[in-house]
Amino acid sequence: MAEPQVAIRCRGLTKSFGEGEAQVKALRGVDLDVPLGELLMLVGPSGCGKTTLISIIASVLDHDSGDCEVLGRDLARLNAREKARLRRADIGFVFQAYNLIPSLSSAENVAVPLLLNGVGRREALAKAERVLESLGLGGRGGGRPNDLSGGQQQRVAVARALVHEPRILVCDEPTSALDEKTGDTLMRLLREVALREGRALVIVTHDNRIFKYADRIATMNDGRIVSMDSRVS
Ligand SMILES: Nc1ncnc2c1ncn2[C@@H]1O[C@H](COP(=O)(O)OP(=O)(O)OP(=O)(O)O)[C@@H](O)[C@H]1O
Ligand SMILES: [Mg+2]
């Protein structure tokens, strides 16, 4: 297959939750192109569909109608096994609620994507420790995530999403628990790592302190992208 130029391409993407009177239309027709090499930020009011959209892009949630292509692959045509393979190889996801596994140490949490890709345990843990260190958590990998502060747990979640060097990285509010300096360190690292060699990054955020790191900012409202701003930076 030819190498795709576009990392993410969505057309008329819709998604509803629930049935009948209780149905919520989370996405009402999203059109979006994210080229390789771009850091796109996604903003908009609570409930407008940001997490829903990036969950579909990360192929952890199925859409109802419309198209979503990631790295040239049409998600609607992939079966569960193919989607799992795509996620494992090419996608990193920082969840809004971190979703760390409490019974594993922080370094083991970070190592999970490597272990799933067949990397040996010792090598996976060593790499996990290096990524944690780059996020200011050197020496903290041995403890449980619940013994860390919120901001530290958030960085463990980012480390886990980055560790296997995915081509597509989606992050849901990755700086919400971080002070300005730690947020800057994280964003510099995300730009450097995630944009290496034709990758792409989509970051949902309310944090206007980090807008300067974006190539473009898409604003969502009520299940649609309503404006797109290019940043001059
Ligand atoms: N699993 C679900 N079941 C039912 N409704 C859902 C589910 N997930 C999301 N929704 C609804 O879909 C809409 C969009 O939710 P979504 O989580 O995408 O919003 P968001 O823009 O990420 O908001 P926030 O900024 O608060 O995180 C909301 O009305 C939400 O209540
Ligand atoms: Mg959300």
Side-chain angles (χ1 to χ4, degrees):
M1 192 168 63
E3 190 61 7
Q5 297 302 309
V6 177
I8 300 161
R9 181 175 189 276
C10 302
R11 287 292 176 277
L13 200 62
T14 73
K15 176 70 182 176
S16 297
F17 295 103
E19 311 256 310
E21 299 246 311
Q23 190 180 61
V24 176
K25 290 189 167 145
L27 299 183
R28 295 170 181 266
V30 168
D31 297 327
L32 176 66
D33 288 289
V34 183
L36 288 168
E38 179 167 270
L39 192 162
L40 177 85
M41 288 192 191
L42 199 56
V43 302
S46 181
C48 72
K50 305 180 298 294
T51 296
T52 305
L53 176 58
I54 63 165
S55 300
I56 292 169
I57 290 168
S59 83
V60 297
L61 182 70
D62 290 334
H63 56 285
D64 294 338
S65 67
D67 294 321
C68 186
E69 276 179 25
V70 174
L71 297 172
R73 270 161 285 183
D74 179 351
L75 296 184
R77 289 175 181 271
L78 302 184
N79 62 31
R81 203 190 168 99
E82 291 165 331
K83 275 192 185 173
R85 195 181 311 136
L86 173 70
R87 284 198 301 272
R88 199 163 63 221
D90 287 321
I91 294 176
F93 196 160
V94 180
F95 295 89
Q96 198 163 9
Y98 313 160
N99 291 4
L100 297 170
I101 302 166
S103 57
L104 299 182
S105 72
S106 294
E108 286 166 340
N109 267 280
V110 175
V112 163
L114 295 174
L115 298 169
L116 290 175
N117 279 301
V119 176
R121 183 176 165 81
R122 184 193 294 255
E123 189 186 337
L125 284 172
K127 175 130 195 234
E129 291 284 4
R130 284 201 299 279
V131 178
L132 284 170
E133 182 157 11
S134 69
L135 286 164
L137 292 173
R140 301 303 302 267
R144 306 274 172 222
N146 287 341
D147 297 333
L148 298 175
S149 73
Q152 290 167 336
Q153 290 181 36
Q154 189 160 39
R155 280 175 285 156
V156 173
V158 171
R160 181 180 57 185
L162 279 178
V163 75
H164 59 309
E165 302 178 23
R167 295 187 60 197
I168 305 287
L169 184 62
V170 295
C171 305
D172 209 343
E173 304 273 5
T175 60
S176 60
L178 304 182
D179 60 75
E180 187 160 6
K181 185 160 164 280
T182 316
D184 274 327
T185 306
L186 172 64
M187 287 308 304
R188 277 198 292 270
L189 183 88
L190 285 180
R191 266 208 86 90
E192 181 194 320
V193 174
L195 299 184
R196 216 180 277 158
E197 298 160 35
R199 294 160 197 251
L201 182 49
V202 179
I203 297 181
V204 170
T205 189
H206 286 106
D207 184 356
N208 57 19
R209 297 173 304 185
I210 67 170
F211 286 174
K212 59 180 182 265
Y213 294 99
D215 294 309
R216 288 187 303 162
I217 300 181
T219 304
M220 285 188 77
N221 198 11
D222 197 18
R224 288 193 183 90
I225 291 175
V226 292
S227 68
M228 184 69 86
D229 298 316
S230 290
R231 310 291 301 170
V232 187
S233 55

